[in-house]
Amino acid sequence: MKLFNTLTRKKEYFRPMDGEIVKIYSCGPTVYSSPTIGNLRAYIFTDILKKSLRHIGGFEIYDVINITDVGHLQSDADEGEDKIDEAARKKKITPADIAKQYTDEFIRDTILLNIDVPQIWAPATDYVKEMVQHVRQLEERGFTYITSDGVYYDSSKFADYYKLRGGKSDDRVGSRVDFGEKRNKNDFCLWRFAKPTALQKFDSPWGAGTPGWHIECSAIARKYLGDQFDIHTGGVDHIPIHHTNERAQTQALTKKEMARFWMHNEFIKINGTKMSKSLGNAYTLTNLTDRGYSPLHFRYLCLMTHYRTIMNFTWESLDSAKKSYENLVRQIKKNKVPVDADEFSSALVDDLNTAKAMAALWKATPEQALEFDKVLSLGLKEALEEKFMEIPENVAELVQIRAECKKNREFQKSDQIRDEIKALGYEVLDTSNGPIIQPIR
Ligand code: AMP
Ligand code: ZN
């Protein structure tokens, strides 16, 4: 299998370190608000990665996802208030309640999207002890210094700091910006002293405070996956700060490359612009299902774009994904000659080319489609069994016209259409969830 490694900026052959089990760490959600469809794309990508490794590579997976319930400030670069604290203050509930609500939402969405549950879900607040220990070790080895704000990592002490983000030191680039008490521009907080207003705080050798955001992943990954593991994933926004800093913290102690492969998914944009709460376009999965789309229509849409390509979301694109999905199911039912299964697997082993794998799926027989769906997880078993898919288009059209008539209280006309549908061999049952259509036996 070939995978694109951000560390080397090229596709490389992948094999797990120990030959059998692939150890994967994925940076998890910050649970201060509902997950956006952008966040969800990141986990659809890792799901495809893991299922390809399992079903095509034949490997076992050992995977960890953290849940950031403390330490992530408003800006990734250590500025502003803790995101969870801020949400708790606004909603007048505890940080723990905020974290629970949005962790539940996140897990619900991943289940709806057929994303496998990881072996380890690690909420950051359960691992503060490990984080403190990690910071202590960095302190003992001279990688830290203390400011009035907290314990900081001295990035100038780690020679390999810039490797993942690419390029050279930018510590001296541009005018001397104000980085306060920090010694170097890229230094970052490992442990933050508690402000009087902080809602969450933990004991530490440096007094009450909260861990920095990056340290949670270093400590959790090291606990479960050891000093070095196979693959580390996240969105591209994590490359310059979060992952660069995780690497620096871990490798300062271990002297080993933390992860052999670093993999990053591109962003979802909305109508070509950034998704943001303030623009009102930070869509959630519920926004999509409220408009009548299934979560799997969204999964289908994601699979049509390579994970390293920016995905531009529009309602039209989702609508065409829905139509394609329905046509795909009809097509698979008609396919009698199997497609060369190699066409499917060779696409995925080439850095997870899902769009190409989907092209093979269109040519698959129903039996093959179920096999391919172990990786793609588009719910094809249920879809292939569903009766409504077999309804001819003219009947479906009449059902829709009849629904319109009923809405306009034209009952005589709607009854007439019911008879027409009957004449075509189908029966309409009205339910509170809309009409159900069944062939008359
Ligand atoms: P967060 O909850 O912000 O910590 O992010 C969770 C994951 O979603 C991270 O891997 C991010 O890089 C990723 N992510 C955030 N926004 C987007 C987006 N618009 N498109 C794709 N991935 C994103
Ligand atoms: Zn992380």
Side-chain angles (χ1 to χ4, degrees), residues 8-210:
T8 55
R9 283 161 185 80
K10 54 178 195 265
K11 284 190 211 172
E12 291 176 46
Y13 278 105
F14 174 81
R15 284 199 65 76
M17 281 167 66
D18 80 351
E20 261 174 60
I21 301 176
V22 187
K23 294 182 181 167
I24 305 182
Y25 186 94
S26 303
C27 290
T30 308
V31 284
Y32 71 109
S33 67
S34 301
T36 66
I37 55 172
N39 301 137
L40 296 169
R41 182 188 191 195
Y43 305 99
I44 291 175
F45 148 60
T46 55
D47 192 55
I48 290 287
L49 169 66
K50 293 169 193 176
K51 287 172 177 165
S52 298
L53 287 164
R54 187 178 293 140
H55 297 294
I56 298 173
F59 303 119
E60 270 182 64
I61 307 291
Y62 184 56
D63 54 342
V64 181
I65 303 185
N66 66 301
I67 291 174
T68 302
D69 52 4
V70 69
H72 196 167
L73 303 195
Q74 281 152 328
S75 113
D76 283 4
D78 289 333
E79 275 151 35
E81 195 184 6
D82 186 295
K83 289 187 182 194
I84 309 282
D85 269 25
E86 186 195 14
R89 208 182 302 282
K90 279 193 184 140
K91 286 205 163 179
K92 298 194 168 57
I93 54 178
T94 64
D97 286 339
I98 287 286
K100 175 159 187 352
Q101 177 182 339
Y102 294 114
T103 301
D104 288 351
E105 271 191 36
F106 178 79
I107 293 175
R108 179 203 63 198
D109 285 357
T110 57
I111 291 170
L112 289 170
L113 287 165
N114 286 346
I115 294 170
D116 274 357
V117 178
Q119 255 118 317
I120 309 282
W121 274 120
T125 47
D126 287 353
Y127 300 89
V128 175
K129 195 178 91 223
E130 285 81 355
M131 297 180 214
V132 166
Q133 208 172 23
H134 198 113
V135 179
R136 284 279 289 166
Q137 288 174 1
L138 286 170
E139 193 171 49
E140 280 159 22
R141 306 217 185 152
F143 282 93
T144 69
Y145 60 92
I146 291 188
T147 72
S148 57
D149 182 44
V151 183
Y152 275 74
Y153 184 97
D154 186 340
S155 58
S156 70
K157 300 248 166 89
F158 180 62
D160 201 24
Y161 184 81
Y162 296 91
K163 182 161 182 188
L164 185 66
R165 63 155 89 160
K168 300 200 176 68
S169 161
D170 63 352
D171 260 346
R172 275 167 244 283
V173 171
S175 61
R176 178 168 165 105
V177 280
D178 180 24
F179 39 87
E181 296 170 59
K182 287 204 299 192
R183 290 181 188 166
N184 312 287
K185 182 175 165 188
N186 293 304
D187 293 356
F188 55 91
C189 192
L190 295 163
W191 185 266
R192 181 167 287 99
F193 304 145
K195 300 222 162 57
T197 52
L199 297 178
Q200 302 188 87
K201 51 190 145 195
F202 304 85
D203 287 335
S204 84
W206 313 279
T210 47

Side-chain angles (χ1 to χ4, degrees), residues 254-292:
T254 63
K255 309 268 191 296
K256 281 183 191 154
E257 186 57 59
M258 178 182 186
R260 291 163 58 243
F261 279 70
W262 292 79
M263 295 182 70
H264 296 96
N265 66 278
E266 253 302 347
F267 263 41
I268 289 191
K269 294 201 169 171
I270 310 284
N271 285 322
T273 60
K274 200 175 168 244
M275 187 164 28
S276 88
K277 295 233 159 66
S278 56
L279 294 172
N281 65 6
Y283 298 128
T284 63
L285 195 61
T286 309
N287 293 147
L288 272 45
T289 51
D290 281 350
R291 291 218 198 174

Side-chain angles (χ1 to χ4, degrees), residues 382-432:
E382 293 74 17
L384 286 166
E385 280 167 3
E386 263 185 53
K387 295 237 169 4
F388 76 88
M389 291 296 181
E390 285 157 13
I391 294 163
E393 248 168 65
N394 56 342
V395 174
E397 227 165 79
L398 285 172
V399 171
Q400 203 159 18
I401 299 170
R402 180 174 169 271
E404 282 297 313
C405 291
K406 284 191 65 143
K407 210 162 76 189
N408 301 332
R409 310 188 67 78
E410 297 166 300
F411 296 116
Q412 212 177 346
K413 199 166 164 204
S414 85
D415 283 347
Q416 205 179 318
I417 297 173
R418 180 201 291 266
D419 291 340
E420 278 180 51
I421 295 171
K422 231 183 201 161
L424 291 167
Y426 290 84
E427 186 174 30
V428 194
L429 305 169
D430 292 308
T431 75
S432 56

Side-chain angles (χ1 to χ4, degrees), residues 199-399:
L199 297 178
Q200 302 188 87
K201 51 190 145 195
F202 304 85
D203 287 335
S204 84
W206 313 279
T210 47
W213 171 38
H214 321 298
I215 197 71
E216 70 176 80
C217 293
S218 285
I220 294 169
R222 208 162 156 227
K223 178 181 173 86
Y224 288 110
L225 306 177
D227 285 355
Q228 190 177 41
F229 54 93
D230 292 298
I231 307 176
H232 195 129
T233 76
V236 287
D237 56 325
H238 285 349
I239 300 170
I241 301 177
H242 183 54
H243 284 172
T244 288
N245 292 346
E246 277 187 38
R247 246 185 113 248
Q249 293 165 154
T250 298
Q251 295 180 204
L253 298 183
T254 63
K255 309 268 191 296
K256 281 183 191 154
E257 186 57 59
M258 178 182 186
R260 291 163 58 243
F261 279 70
W262 292 79
M263 295 182 70
H264 296 96
N265 66 278
E266 253 302 347
F267 263 41
I268 289 191
K269 294 201 169 171
I270 310 284
N271 285 322
T273 60
K274 200 175 168 244
M275 187 164 28
S276 88
K277 295 233 159 66
S278 56
L279 294 172
N281 65 6
Y283 298 128
T284 63
L285 195 61
T286 309
N287 293 147
L288 272 45
T289 51
D290 281 350
R291 291 218 198 174
Y293 298 99
S294 141
L296 299 181
H297 297 144
F298 174 64
R299 186 169 171 117
Y300 183 104
L301 182 64
C302 289
L303 298 189
M304 292 308 290
T305 308
H306 190 260
Y307 76 91
R308 282 191 293 116
T309 303
I310 292 174
M311 181 176 147
N312 190 33
F313 177 89
T314 60
W315 288 105
E316 292 74 33
S317 66
L318 183 61
D319 205 55
S320 77
K322 177 182 178 184
K323 292 201 177 96
S324 295
Y325 182 100
E326 286 161 3
N327 288 334
L328 168 71
V329 173
R330 284 194 200 101
Q331 183 59 46
I332 291 170
K333 283 184 180 176
K334 285 191 223 154
N335 292 341
K336 299 280 182 282
V337 186
V339 61
D340 181 358
D342 207 41
E343 193 178 323
F344 179 75
S345 46
S346 65
L348 289 171
V349 300
D350 181 15
D351 195 30
L352 312 176
N353 192 335
T354 47
K356 226 168 157 189
M358 295 285 280
L361 177 65
W362 275 80
K363 294 180 268 180
T365 61
E367 296 71 37
Q368 278 185 310
L370 297 186
E371 200 53 37
F372 295 174
D373 210 35
K374 287 181 182 164
V375 177
L376 303 176
S377 297
L378 289 166
L380 292 178
K381 185 169 187 297
E382 293 74 17
L384 286 166
E385 280 167 3
E386 263 185 53
K387 295 237 169 4
F388 76 88
M389 291 296 181
E390 285 157 13
I391 294 163
E393 248 168 65
N394 56 342
V395 174
E397 227 165 79
L398 285 172
V399 171

